[in-house]
Amino acid sequence: MIKELVDELTAMAAADHAASPKANSDDFAEQLEWRRLTARHADRLTEILDEHGWPTVPAVGADAARAAWLIAQHADRQLDVQRRAVVLMGEAVAAGEADAAQYAFLRDRTLVNEGREQVYGTQIAGVRDGRPVPWPCVEPERMDERRAEVGIPPFEEYIAQFS
């Protein structure tokens, strides 16, 4: 059963990766295809969470655990799925069974999707004067400190990879 779950999660992540360029396509049909894929994946992740709980690294391995995170991360139009994933993944991080950096990205994305300030500065609002600008962040002066706590590079170092 776990092998089937691992295979399914990694296949979903591969499909997500292959389709992700469609998310911002000029072709609305491609954008719709992306949205439908992420919705199907989020629906399936809900079933997996019901049956297995959060797919932790010890249970499914790092690749499949990352796949579950990616599916939740891209469930932007299904906040109930993201909220549930944040709670379950947060518990797994506290138990040392999930990646803290991935959790930080998911937590920030969920907060931004709720219209709230993010914590770790992982979500980019846009580009201003040629520089990526994060969505508003709680205590921005402490952002890099919080990033370091979960193993994410400082913001300036992070955005340098996009230049």
Side-chain angles (χ1 to χ4, degrees):
M1 180 73 149
I2 292 298
K3 172 145 177 33
E4 291 173 8
L5 178 59
V6 167
D7 292 346
E8 181 179 12
L9 285 167
T10 54
M12 290 165 67
D16 181 286
H17 180 71
S20 65
K22 297 176 182 178
N24 298 312
S25 172
D26 292 335
D27 182 338
F28 296 135
E30 286 186 354
Q31 286 185 30
L32 183 57
E33 185 179 334
W34 164 256
R35 289 179 181 200
R36 287 179 175 157
L37 175 79
T38 58
R40 280 193 313 274
H41 285 176
D43 290 345
R44 178 61 184 130
L45 181 61
T46 297
E47 294 169 355
I48 291 168
L49 298 179
D50 288 345
E51 190 172 339
H52 301 280
W54 185 258
T56 63
V57 172
V60 299
D63 290 342
R66 183 185 184 289
W69 162 77
L70 182 68
I71 294 161
Q73 182 82 349
H74 288 167
D76 292 319
R77 289 162 199 84
Q78 290 164 281
L79 269 172
D80 57 324
V81 176
Q82 284 186 330
R83 288 179 181 127
R84 185 172 178 204
V86 164
V87 169
L88 295 175
M89 189 176 190
E91 292 168 358
V93 167
E97 297 180 338
D99 185 284
Q102 291 172 0
Y103 169 77
F105 275 83
L106 180 59
R107 183 171 179 207
D108 274 0
R109 188 149 178 159
T110 303
L111 288 168
V112 166
N113 285 337
E114 292 173 336
R116 297 167 54 197
E117 292 179 321
Q118 61 180 322
V119 175
Y120 301 96
T122 64
Q123 302 302 296
I124 304 300
V127 177
R128 186 174 296 137
D129 298 325
R131 290 180 35 85
V133 178
W135 282 96
C137 190
V138 174
E139 298 179 274
E141 69 281 358
R142 292 192 54 235
M143 180 175 62
D144 282 340
E145 178 185 330
R146 290 190 300 268
R147 292 169 73 91
E149 290 170 359
V150 295
I152 300 173
F155 185 75
E156 290 300 321
E157 185 179 322
Y158 173 69
I159 63 169
Q161 69 184 343
F162 300 111
S163 300

